[in-house]
Amino acid sequence: MSTFRSIVFSSVIAGFIVGLIVTAAQQFGTVPLILKAEVYEKAAEHKHEAAAPPQAILVHDHAEHDHGAEAWEPRDGLERNLYTAGANILTGIGFALLLCGFFSVRSGATGEPISWHEGLMWGLAGFAVFTIAPGLGLPPELPGVPTAPLLSRQIWWVTAVLATSAGLGLIVFRRSMPAAIAGVVLIMLPHLIGAPELEHVETNVPSSLSHQFVVAVTLTSLVFWSLLGGLTSAAFAYFDRPASA
């Protein structure tokens, strides 16, 4: 029970702190780029409506009105930022629980507490698994950029994450040549299959803006995973001391 309590406390504290820090970083990195892309997206919608016949415009407006009545999204400004912060905190807590599970198994097997630099390495492994590997096939996209169907992208993303984590596990923990070869094959397999993508992509969002967004998301994710690994391991080592004693 004490170990479970240590896992929960460590995850909540680390996830809350990291979620707030990442939210602040997004206000200077990704959020301005998203707002710029939304301007291009709305301009493209207005251009499409202006080029459509009057009857089509009426039908389109009616459909948009019905869709808007069903779909809800937070208002720009404070409300949107609060929902973003809440989502980041919940995401941080969820991944911190995952890390603490690994830390608990690791410390139980070795009998030694987890150090912050070991936690940092676990965080960088999470960055490789959840950001780098799937991002090579499915880079982050701005609003207004057409993408492949959601379900196919989700399936490929999950496949890339599972294959990369299994491959890294074989390389790091098995430490044999056959296991290393199998790990490399697993890591490369989703990319050899190829991520789902559209044959023709037409968008008025500048490619330079998309490139900036990919860089901003990647750097923000690096900050997220680095802080989460270090803070979660430090918090877990602190709360798990009575259980170890």
Side-chain angles (χ1 to χ4, degrees):
M1 182 60 68
S2 59
T3 301
F4 176 77
R5 188 164 52 246
S6 301
I7 291 175
V8 173
F9 287 171
S10 304
S11 301
V12 171
I13 293 175
F16 183 81
I17 295 175
V18 174
L20 291 181
I21 293 175
V22 169
T23 301
Q26 288 175 338
Q27 301 306 310
F28 300 97
T30 58
V31 171
L33 300 176
I34 292 175
L35 295 177
K36 290 181 182 179
E38 288 178 347
V39 173
Y40 287 101
E41 183 183 25
K42 293 176 181 178
E45 292 177 355
H46 293 320
K47 183 179 179 180
H48 174 72
E49 292 177 358
Q55 184 176 1
I57 293 177
L58 291 176
V59 175
H60 182 67
D61 289 343
H62 179 69
E64 280 193 348
H65 176 73
D66 293 341
H67 178 72
E70 297 176 358
W72 175 89
E73 61 181 18
R75 294 187 297 269
D76 292 338
L78 179 61
E79 183 176 351
R80 187 173 184 175
N81 292 335
L82 288 176
Y83 276 95
T84 300
N88 288 334
I89 290 172
L90 291 177
T91 302
I93 293 174
F95 281 122
L97 286 170
L98 183 64
L99 288 174
C100 280
F102 290 128
F103 295 159
S104 177
V105 173
R106 188 72 170 164
S107 60
T110 61
E112 298 178 356
I114 297 293
S115 61
W116 70 266
H117 55 271
E118 187 174 357
L120 176 62
M121 296 304 298
W122 278 94
L124 293 178
F127 172 69
V129 168
F130 291 99
T131 301
I132 296 298
L136 291 175
L138 293 175
E141 298 288 359
L142 284 166
V145 179
T147 57
L150 178 61
L151 180 59
S152 60
R153 288 186 288 124
Q154 288 178 329
I155 293 175
W156 188 91
W157 189 92
V158 172
T159 302
V161 167
L162 293 178
T164 304
S165 58
L168 288 178
L170 287 174
I171 295 172
V172 174
F173 296 113
R174 299 294 295 181
R175 297 187 179 181
S176 65
M177 184 59 66
I181 294 175
V184 172
V185 171
L186 274 175
I187 294 173
M188 295 177 58
L189 185 59
H191 305 282
L192 295 176
I193 296 174
E197 58 182 15
L198 299 176
E199 294 183 1
H200 303 286
V201 177
E202 295 182 1
T203 177
N204 62 341
V205 178
S207 58
S208 60
L209 195 65
S210 296
H211 294 159
Q212 293 176 25
F213 184 68
V214 171
V215 172
V217 170
T218 303
L219 291 178
T220 303
S221 181
L222 177 60
V223 171
F224 172 84
W225 281 106
S226 299
L227 290 177
L228 191 68
L231 288 178
T232 303
S233 60
F236 180 78
Y238 176 80
F239 286 108
D240 197 47
R241 283 186 302 178
S244 300

